């Protein structure tokens, strides 16, 4: 569902923050909008293991981005 949303909005291969995905105006109405960060990250980790996303961790645990393929 997240991968399809990114594709539909032309955001594949763009780095997005987890905050943008969970709280951004573009995700209002999506099933993943409003998810807590830990749950969203676990979902993105599944996409990563499937080769459909790449997670990027910054200097803190709160500083996480994702590129969806």
């Amino acid at each position: 569902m997240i991968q399809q949303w990114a594709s539909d909005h032309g955001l594949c291969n763009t780095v997005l923050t987890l905050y943008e995905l969970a709280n951004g105006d573009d995700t209002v109405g999506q099933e993943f909008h409003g998810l807590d960060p830990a749950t969203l990250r676990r979902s993105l980790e599944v996409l990563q293991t499937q080769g459909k996303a790449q997670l990027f961790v910054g200097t803190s645990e709160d500083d996480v981005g994702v590129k969806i393929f």
Side-chain angles (χ1 to χ4, degrees), residues 15-18 44 54-58 63-67:
V15 177
L16 302 165
T17 66
L18 269 63
L44 294 168
Q54 176 66 50
L55 286 168
F56 300 95
V57 180
D63 188 18
V64 179
V66 63
K67 182 187 284 189

Side-chain angles (χ1 to χ4, degrees), residues 3 5 20-21 25 29 31 37 40-45 47 52-53 55-56 58-59 61:
Q3 184 184 22
W5 172 84
E20 289 175 299
L21 288 173
D25 292 338
E31 291 182 36
L40 181 57
R41 184 171 177 160
R42 283 192 297 272
S43 299
L44 294 168
E45 287 171 349
L47 287 177
K52 298 178 181 179
L55 286 168
F56 300 95
T59 56
E61 193 64 29

Side-chain angles (χ1 to χ4, degrees), residues 1-17 20-21 26-27 30-32 40 44 47 52-54 66-69:
M1 129 181 54
I2 296 172
Q3 184 184 22
Q4 185 62 50
W5 172 84
S7 177
D8 291 347
H9 288 83
L11 295 172
C12 288
N13 296 312
T14 300
V15 177
L16 302 165
T17 66
E20 289 175 299
L21 288 173
D26 292 338
T27 63
Q30 299 298 315
E31 291 182 36
F32 54 88
L40 181 57
L44 294 168
L47 287 177
K52 298 178 181 179
Q54 176 66 50
V66 63
K67 182 187 284 189
I68 302 169
F69 306 119

